Amino acid sequence: MVNENPLILKRHLEDEEGAMLLQKERATSSVRPEAMATFIFGGQEALSRRLRALAFIEKDPVFDTKDRKHLDQKSRYVRSSEKAVHLVLKCRRLGIPFTQMLDILNVALDEITPTDVHTKMAIPSLMHQTTPEQRAKWLPLAENFRIICAYAQTELGHGSNVRALETIATYEPSSQSFILHSPRLESAKWWPGGLGKSATHAIVLARLLLGGKDKGLHSFIVQLRDLRDHTPLPGVTLGDIGPKLGFMSVDNGFCLFDHVRIPREHMLMGLAEISPDGHYRKRKGANGGEKILYGAMLDVRAGLVERGGATLARALTVAIRYSAVRRQGYAPSPPGKLSQSAPLELQVLDYPTQQHALMPLLAWSFALQITGQFMRRRYKAYLRELDLSLLPEVHALSSGLKALTGEVVSQGVDVCRRMCGGHGYLLASGLPEVFSNYTAVQTFEGTAQVLEPQLARFILRLSMAPTERPKASGRGAATAAKAPFALSSDFDYVPLAAGKTFVRCRAATPVAFLDPAFQIEAYEARVSALLLLAREEVEADLRGGEGGLAASMMKNGVLFGRLSRAHCQLVLLRRFHEAVAREEGRMTMTTARNGGVDGEGNGGRIDLGAADGSEEGESEDREETVTVGPAEVRVLRNLCHLFALSGMERDMAEFRARDYLSSGQAEMVSREVLRLNRTVRAEAVSLVDAWLLSDKLLGSALGRADGRVYGALFEEALRSPLNDKEVSEAYTLHWRRLLMAGDCAWENARL
Ligand SMILES: Cc1cc2nc3c(=O)[nH]c(=O)nc-3n(C[C@H](O)[C@H](O)[C@H](O)COP(=O)(O)OP(=O)(O)OC[C@H]3O[C@@H](n4cnc5c(N)ncnc54)[C@H](O)[C@@H]3O)c2cc1C
C-alpha cells in the first residue's frame, strides 16, 4: 500500500533541511516573537487570553481539523455542528462564561460554525434592539443556547438595497399579532447562516404594515422550528441554499413564510413600539436607540478589521516560512567565474520579486491589527461615556475600512497562495481554505461598491456644506469648527482641499521619505487631490442640472471608491505611526530609567509548534515577562515605512496628481521600497512567528513551524481517499473496459 511505503517513510525522517533553514532565520533575526506578540495583541493580558483560548482548543480531539479537507458539504456541516455543540457544552461544564467562550470561538476554533451568526449578529440584535423586558426574556435563552437564532435580512431578490426587501409583517390588533408573509419567490429569505438546518428562531427583517400603511423595515423574532423535534412550524418553509465557494461548514439557508402568526411582543421594540391597539411610536433616547445600534456595528466592523489583519498574517505565516524553506534556482555567477561545485539553490525568500509580493503585505497585517484595536478602544470609550459626537465620523470610516480590509486581505491571501507555487494550490497548504472562507467578507455586511460611497459622501459633505459645528480642540479643530459633530485630525486635509492649497513634495533624497511627517503629508496630498476632483465633478453635475447629489454620486462611483480607499489608507498610516511612536516613547523612558540599559535580552523564544500548553491561571505568570525592546521597535518602524512607501508605489498615479510627486521622486520611492523589503525580509520569519499561530491552527503542510515541509506534504497526500486502495474502483468500473477492450487480452503483466 502506498501509504506504508518504506521509502517514503525513510525520506520523511530525512527531511532536515527545512528545519535547519528556519532555525537559521530565527537565529539571525533581531525580533523576539513573544515580545512582538505583546505588541500585536495589545498587551500581556490580551495575549494571555488568546493563549488560553488556543490551549482550550488544541488539547481537544473533537476540535481537530485534519479530516476537513476530505469531507463533502453534508459531512462538513455535521462536523462543524459537533464542534459548536461540544464547545458550548464543555464551556458550560467548566463554568466558562459566554464572553470567554466568544474569545475561543473567534480566536482559536478555526471553524465557521452554524452558530456564528447566532453569536455575532443575532445576540447583538437582541441586546441592542430590544426593550428591557424583551432582553430579560430572550437574551438568557440565546446566550445559553436554548434557542439558536439566525439573522434573516437578505432575500433572494434583494441584498444591498435593504429598502426594497419584501417580506411583510402585518399587524392585526384584534389578535394582537403580526402575520408574516413572503409575497413572492424573490422575497424568500436567502443566505442567512444557520437558517438552513440549525436555527430554531430567526431575527427577521420585514416591512411593517399597519392599518394599510407601510412603516418600513423592522426586526422580529420568529420561531421557525418545533423545539421538541426541530421540524419546521406550520407555514414556514426552510432549507439549505446549496454548496458554496467557502463556508461549507455552515447551513446558509432559505425561508419562506406563508401567513405565519407571531405575538405582538415578538417585534423588537427597542427602537419603535406598537401598542396592543396598533398605535405606533418611535422611541427616542430611552436606551440610546439607534445610536447604540450604530455603536454596536462599530464593534463588529472593528472585529472585521482586526480579523482581516490576523487572516493575512495567517496566510503570510505559511508563505513566508515556506519561502524560507523552499529552494529554487541559482544565484547568477559573477561574469567569467563559473562555479566548479554544484551551487546551492536560492531560498525563494531571497528573490526581490518574492519579497516585493510578501513584505508589504506583512506591513499591512500589522496596520490592520493596530487600526482594528484602535477602533475597538474607541467603541469601548464610546460605551463608557456615550459620547455620540465622534460616532458619525467613526461610522463612516468603519464602512470604508471594512471594504478596504476585505479587498486587501482577500487579494493578499491569494498572493500568498501564488507565492507558494504549485504546492500553494494544494488544500494541504491551508491557503485555499483561508481564501475561500475569507473572501465572503467582501460580500456580507455590504460590498465595497455600497460601503465606500458612504465614507466618500461623508468627506464630500464636510468639504461642501459647512454649517454650525461644536468647538473641538487639537489639530482637527479647524475642520470641526464647521461640522455638526466632532472630528479627529484625520480630516485635517479637508479644508486644505477645499481651499485648493496644494503643496509639492520636498523630499530630495530617498531617506527623506522615511520621515513620518513626509509620509503623512504625501497621503494627505493624495486624498486632497481626489477630494477636489470629486468636488469638481459633483459641482459640474449639479450646475449642469443632471439630477441631484445622489445621481452625481452614482455617476462618479469609481472616483468615490478611490477617495474612500485613500482616506482609509491615510488613517491606517496615522494609526501605525502613532502606535510605533508610543513604543519609541516608552523605549526612551525605559532607557532613561535604566540608565541606558534597555529591555532586550530575555530570550523571548517560544515553542511555536504548539499553542501555549499552560492551564488556566498559569498564564498570569507571564505578566512580568517580555515586552518589545528597541530591536523590535526598530523593526516596527521599518514595517511602518514599508506600509507607507509601498502604498505610494502601488497607487503612484494618485500621488503624482497635482504634481505632488515628481517622476524622480517616484523612482526614489520605488528604490526605497526595495531596500525596505530586504530589511524586513531578514526579520520576516520571526515576525510571522510573533502571531503565535500553532501548527494545528494553521493546518498547513507548508507553514509548519519546524520547516519539515516535504514530509508533511507526503503525509497529507497519503491521506487522499484515492490512496485508500492500490487499485481504484475507477479501474474496475471504467479503465479496465478501455484497457482490456475487445480482443485485447494481455498474457503478460509487462510488455
Ligand atoms: C457567506 C455569506 C454569508 C451571509 N450571511 C448572511 C446572513 O447571515 N444574513 C443575511 O441576511 N445575509 C447574509 N448574507 C448575504 C449578504 O449580506 C448579501 O449577499 C450582501 O449584502 C450583498 O447582497 P446581494 O447578494 O443581494 O448582492 P447585490 O446587492 O445584488 O449585488 C450585486 C452587485 O451589485 C453591486 N451593487 C448593488 N447595489 C449597488 C449600489 N447601490 N451601488 C453600486 N453597486 C451596487 C454590488 O456591489 C455587487 O457587485 C451572506 C452572504 C454570504 C456570501
Side-chain angles (χ1 to χ4, degrees):
M1 196 74 88
V2 65
N3 49 15
E4 285 154 20
N5 185 309
L7 180 66
I8 291 175
L9 294 175
K10 177 169 174 290
R11 291 278 153 81
H12 186 168
L13 294 175
E14 290 167 359
D15 187 8
E16 284 296 335
E17 205 207 356
M20 185 272 292
L21 283 168
L22 283 190
Q23 268 168 24
K24 192 188 89 195
E25 293 288 337
R26 289 175 179 135
T28 51
S29 167
S30 57
V31 170
R32 295 158 305 148
E34 195 165 357
M36 190 60 98
T38 57
F39 173 84
I40 292 175
F41 298 110
Q44 198 62 54
E45 197 194 317
L47 175 60
S48 301
R49 272 175 45 198
R50 182 183 173 84
L51 290 172
R52 273 203 298 272
L54 286 167
F56 184 95
I57 294 294
E58 298 257 334
K59 288 183 202 153
D60 192 326
V62 175
F63 298 126
D64 206 282
T65 51
K66 274 215 179 78
D67 55 350
R68 181 154 82 184
K69 297 179 186 76
H70 305 298
L71 298 181
D72 60 16
Q73 185 200 4
K74 198 167 169 179
S75 316
R76 281 207 62 174
Y77 165 66
V78 174
R79 264 295 272 143
S80 70
S81 301
E82 181 188 8
K83 290 179 190 179
V85 170
H86 184 65
L87 177 64
V88 173
L89 293 179
K90 191 169 170 178
C91 286
R92 199 178 282 170
R93 205 173 57 244
L94 298 175
I96 293 176
F98 181 70
T99 46
Q100 217 170 315
M101 193 190 78
L102 288 187
D103 274 353
I104 298 169
L105 252 178
N106 293 335
V107 166
L109 185 60
D110 191 31
E111 188 79 271
I112 304 170
T113 74
T115 50
D116 278 16
V117 169
H118 171 78
T119 51
K120 290 177 191 154
M121 296 183 80
I123 289 183
S125 301
L126 291 174
M127 244 175 220
H128 301 301
Q129 295 187 47
T130 42
T131 61
E133 301 77 46
Q134 287 179 317
R135 267 197 294 286
K137 172 175 177 181
W138 293 107
L139 262 186
L141 290 172
E143 289 190 351
N144 289 312
F145 294 84
R146 297 294 173 202
I147 60 171
I148 311 280
C149 229
Y151 184 84
Q153 176 175 309
T154 309
E155 294 175 358
L156 187 56
H158 288 97
S160 307
N161 188 12
V162 180
R163 274 165 45 197
L165 294 178
E166 295 177 30
T167 305
I168 305 165
T170 310
Y171 186 62
E172 191 180 74
S174 59
S175 61
Q176 293 187 23
S177 58
F178 295 99
I179 301 155
L180 246 79
H181 187 61
S182 316
R184 313 191 290 154
L185 195 67
E186 288 89 329
S187 56
K189 293 294 175 188
W190 187 275
W191 264 119
L195 181 68
K197 294 290 159 188
S198 315
T200 59
H201 288 67
I203 309 284
V204 175
L205 257 83
R207 189 166 290 292
L208 170 61
L209 290 188
L210 197 60
K213 280 207 180 122
D214 185 343
K215 294 286 192 185
L217 288 172
H218 289 72
S219 300
F220 302 83
I221 181 157
V222 184
Q223 184 167 348
L224 306 171
R225 289 185 163 94
D226 191 312
L227 291 175
R228 292 161 305 180
D229 61 10
H230 217 55
T231 51
L233 292 183
V236 181
T237 304
L238 289 163
D240 176 79
I241 62 171
K244 297 148 289 193
L245 173 64
F247 272 63
M248 290 291 270
S249 48
V250 174
D251 50 328
N252 292 90
F254 64 78
C255 175
L256 277 158
F257 298 106
D258 183 9
H259 299 96
V260 174
R261 269 177 199 281
I262 55 168
R264 181 185 69 92
E265 297 80 13
H266 285 206
M267 180 172 117
L268 305 193
M269 297 212 209
L271 306 177
E273 66 175 337
I274 284 195
S275 63
D277 61 356
H279 187 72
Y280 179 86
R281 183 171 72 92
K282 275 203 183 252
R283 285 180 194 270
K284 280 206 190 91
N287 62 357
E290 284 168 3
K291 298 287 166 43
I292 297 258
L293 199 59
Y294 217 32
M297 199 195 292
L298 296 185
D299 194 33
V300 172
R301 298 230 172 118
L304 283 175
V305 174
E306 244 180 300
R307 253 198 310 286
T311 304
L312 193 51
R314 177 178 180 163
L316 284 161
T317 305
V318 174
I320 286 174
R321 284 184 184 159
Y322 177 63
S323 299
V325 166
R326 181 73 165 175
R327 287 189 186 278
Q328 200 78 210
Y330 304 102
S333 317
K337 281 196 183 170
L338 277 179
S339 167
Q340 294 304 309
S341 57
L344 210 51
E345 284 187 278
L346 291 168
Q347 289 169 273
V348 295
L349 196 53
D350 283 330
Y351 286 106
T353 41
Q354 193 84 355
Q355 293 166 10
H356 200 56
L358 297 177
M359 300 307 123
L361 288 174
L362 192 51
W364 265 94
S365 65
F366 278 76
L368 291 172
Q369 177 80 356
I370 289 165
T371 306
Q373 281 170 6
F374 171 84
M375 288 167 72
R376 203 182 281 285
R377 282 199 300 275
R378 270 265 169 104
Y379 172 63
K380 282 197 180 138
Y382 158 71
L383 278 189
R384 247 192 338 266
E385 294 153 25
L386 271 191
D387 172 10
L388 306 180
S389 65
L390 275 174
L391 262 194
E393 169 189 335
V394 182
H395 181 258
L397 174 66
S398 73
S399 303
L401 273 175
K402 188 265 175 187
L404 180 67
T405 305
E407 181 187 308
V408 168
V409 175
S410 291
Q411 286 178 11
V413 171
D414 196 47
V415 168
C416 289
R417 176 191 68 74
R418 287 188 277 119
M419 291 302 116
C420 292
H423 299 333
Y425 199 69
L426 282 170
L427 294 195
S429 74
L431 294 173
E433 169 94 12
V434 176
F435 175 79
S436 56
N437 282 336
Y438 183 80
T439 194
V441 169
Q442 290 186 287
T443 305
F444 60 63
E445 294 190 37
T447 62
Q449 293 71 20
V450 173
L451 292 176
E452 286 174 339
Q454 293 181 23
L455 173 58
R457 191 184 309 121
F458 179 83
I459 301 169
L460 190 75
R461 278 188 47 227
L462 282 181
S463 81
M464 290 183 91
T467 49
E468 285 283 310
R469 294 173 186 195
K471 282 204 168 71
S473 55
R475 275 191 77 207
T479 318
K482 299 183 210 126
F485 37 76
L487 271 183
S488 72
S489 55
D490 292 340
F491 289 88
D492 278 359
Y493 67 86
V494 172
L496 298 179
K500 302 192 183 183
T501 318
F502 289 103
V503 288
R504 296 245 166 104
C505 177
R506 285 156 293 123
T509 60
V511 178
F513 284 101
L514 301 186
D515 179 347
F518 263 92
Q519 293 167 8
I520 300 282
E521 180 197 274
Y523 275 73
E524 284 189 336
R526 172 231 200 160
V527 70
S528 296
L530 284 168
L531 173 57
L532 187 61
L533 187 59
R535 269 187 59 156
E536 285 168 354
E537 291 292 328
V538 169
E539 281 166 2
D541 287 344
L542 295 181
R543 269 197 311 277
E546 292 182 36
L549 180 63
S552 177
M553 294 231 22
M554 194 173 99
K555 183 177 147 220
N556 294 301
V558 175
L559 177 56
F560 283 120
R562 287 164 63 198
L563 175 60
S564 168
R565 290 192 289 279
H567 178 81
C568 289
Q569 284 171 40
L570 167 65
V571 171
L572 285 160
L573 180 62
R574 275 179 178 277
R575 297 298 90 83
F576 206 154
H577 273 309
E578 287 160 9
V580 180
R582 258 195 313 276
E583 294 303 325
E584 286 169 341
R586 229 171 34 77
M587 271 325 81
T588 318
M589 279 165 58
T590 313
T591 311
R593 256 202 319 270
N594 297 350
V597 181
D598 59 45
E600 267 183 298
N602 56 355
R605 285 277 157 207
I606 39 182
D607 174 13
L608 293 157
D612 173 59
S614 60
E615 295 295 339
E616 291 273 310
E618 260 184 39
S619 49
E620 263 66 52
D621 296 343
R622 294 171 175 278
E623 291 299 339
E624 80 276 7
T625 56
V626 281
T627 53
V628 290
E632 285 83 22
V633 175
R634 265 194 303 279
V635 174
L636 283 170
R637 177 52 76 201
N638 280 330
L639 274 173
C640 187
H641 290 324
L642 184 56
F643 176 78
L645 300 193
S646 62
M648 288 172 72
E649 188 188 37
R650 198 191 43 238
D651 295 321
M652 187 49 81
E654 291 178 1
F655 287 88
R656 295 208 53 205
R658 313 258 170 194
D659 295 326
Y660 176 74
L661 280 188
S662 68
S663 60
Q665 287 168 322
E667 279 161 24
M668 282 183 215
V669 169
S670 292
R671 265 200 300 278
E672 204 48 27
V673 168
L674 290 178
R675 191 190 64 75
L676 285 164
N677 282 342
R678 283 195 300 276
T679 312
V680 172
R681 177 257 173 268
E683 317 289 350
V685 168
S686 291
L687 281 171
V688 292
D689 285 351
W691 286 82
L692 303 183
L693 295 158
S694 67
D695 282 347
K696 209 161 185 181
L697 191 77
L698 276 179
S700 167
L702 305 186
R704 285 170 66 109
D706 67 2
R708 292 175 204 276
V709 165
Y710 297 112
L713 273 175
F714 248 112
E715 247 175 53
E716 287 285 349
L718 298 183
R719 270 199 211 107
S720 165
L722 288 185
N723 288 327
D724 281 356
K725 291 184 185 157
E726 205 66 78
V727 177
S728 143
E729 296 86 327
Y731 173 78
T732 326
L733 289 171
H734 305 295
W735 296 113
R736 191 167 57 184
R737 282 188 287 132
L738 177 69
L739 295 169
M740 309 278 270
D743 54 359
C744 174
W746 299 108
E747 285 184 4
N748 295 317
R750 297 172 179 218
L751 282 178

